Amino acid sequence: MDRLDKNGKTEEQFLRDYDVTQYFRPSVTVDAVLCAAKPSGVRVLMIERGGHPFIGRYAFPGGFVESDEDCESAAARELYEETGVKGVPLRQLVTASSPKRDPRWRNITVIFYAVVDGDIAAVGGDDAVNAVWFDVKCSSAGSEGKERAKLEFSADNESFSAELDIVRDSFGKVDLNKTRIVDCGKTAFDHAVVLFYLYELLRGGK
């Protein structure tokens, strides 16, 4: 006999009557970060955005998860569509879920990454104008509660910097949702924060 819930419904009846619109439904996006550790920072592949929001700024390759795919497959697809890179094994890094991280909507992003030995040929595609390998020098100063980080981006024809007021979680890691972007430079979304999080991971730090 099928077990009934408090409303006297079987699971089949519950699923038949279930109303998905009764809950808020954020969108899910993915990002794919290709990187290599450097002595004082990281080398990372970014794309120049060709559309709003943040048109002309640099972001990780990424986009929306489609209805018939898992997050890892979506990350691999977006990486290929926006840079032409494929066949690189990706592993999950972290999830970014700050309510105001994307001005379009409440987008929760699952971020994947791969550490590569050297630059992989990449070219901007889909809604990416360019695909650029940046050397990013990372540094931080100050004590807990007043820690400022600086990221200095440099490529052949582009250079800029970004600054963050770092907030750490109870494990000592960068809190993606509470760290404040003081100056985004030419980065998009919260990707400067994610990049500093990744930098500390790669150097075996906090």
Side-chain angles (χ1 to χ4, degrees):
M1 181 177 178
D2 290 337
R3 186 172 177 177
L4 305 182
D5 65 11
K6 64 182 180 180
N7 296 313
K9 293 183 178 181
T10 64
E11 182 173 304
E12 182 180 1
Q13 291 169 330
F14 167 78
L15 293 175
R16 181 196 64 203
D17 298 336
Y18 184 74
D19 179 13
V20 69
T21 64
Q22 66 182 309
Y23 299 107
F24 175 69
R25 290 172 289 168
S27 296
V28 179
T29 59
V30 291
D31 290 311
V33 188
L34 299 191
C35 61
K38 305 281 286 186
S40 60
V42 62
R43 187 162 175 81
V44 63
L45 179 63
M46 303 187 82
I47 58 103
E48 181 183 353
R49 289 181 56 79
H52 296 300
F54 303 111
I55 189 170
R57 295 190 187 182
Y58 291 93
F60 305 131
F64 289 88
V65 178
E66 296 181 353
S67 61
D68 61 347
E69 64 183 353
D70 56 65
C71 289
E72 186 171 358
S73 297
R77 173 182 55 78
E78 288 288 348
L79 178 63
Y80 175 67
E81 289 176 354
E82 296 190 343
T83 69
V85 175
K86 62 180 178 178
V88 177
L90 298 169
R91 65 173 61 183
Q92 189 170 325
L93 174 66
V94 71
T95 298
S97 59
S98 175
K100 296 182 180 180
R101 60 177 303 279
D102 190 323
R104 294 170 294 188
W105 182 243
R106 179 70 190 279
N107 290 331
I108 296 173
T109 295
V110 183
I111 302 159
F112 293 82
Y113 79 108
V115 178
V116 296
D117 292 331
D119 292 1
I120 297 175
V123 60
D126 195 18
D127 54 357
V129 175
N130 291 310
V132 181
W133 282 96
F134 281 100
D135 283 315
V136 187
K137 181 180 178 181
C138 302
S139 60
S140 63
S143 58
E144 185 175 349
K146 293 185 178 180
E147 183 181 359
R148 174 68 61 90
K150 186 173 184 179
L151 294 81
E152 299 174 81
F153 295 75
S154 62
D156 290 341
N157 300 309
E158 187 76 87
S159 63
F160 56 89
S161 62
E163 292 191 11
L164 314 170
D165 277 342
I166 300 295
V167 175
R168 297 190 178 274
D169 62 21
S170 57
F171 300 100
K173 293 184 178 294
V174 175
D175 189 322
L176 296 179
N177 299 317
K178 295 181 181 178
T179 290
R180 187 171 69 90
I181 299 174
V182 178
D183 181 358
C184 65
K186 291 190 70 175
T187 62
F189 303 104
D190 52 359
H191 291 184
V193 182
V194 174
L195 190 52
F196 191 75
Y197 180 100
L198 177 60
Y199 156 71
E200 290 200 334
L201 176 71
L202 292 178
R203 69 171 187 159
K206 297 179 178 180

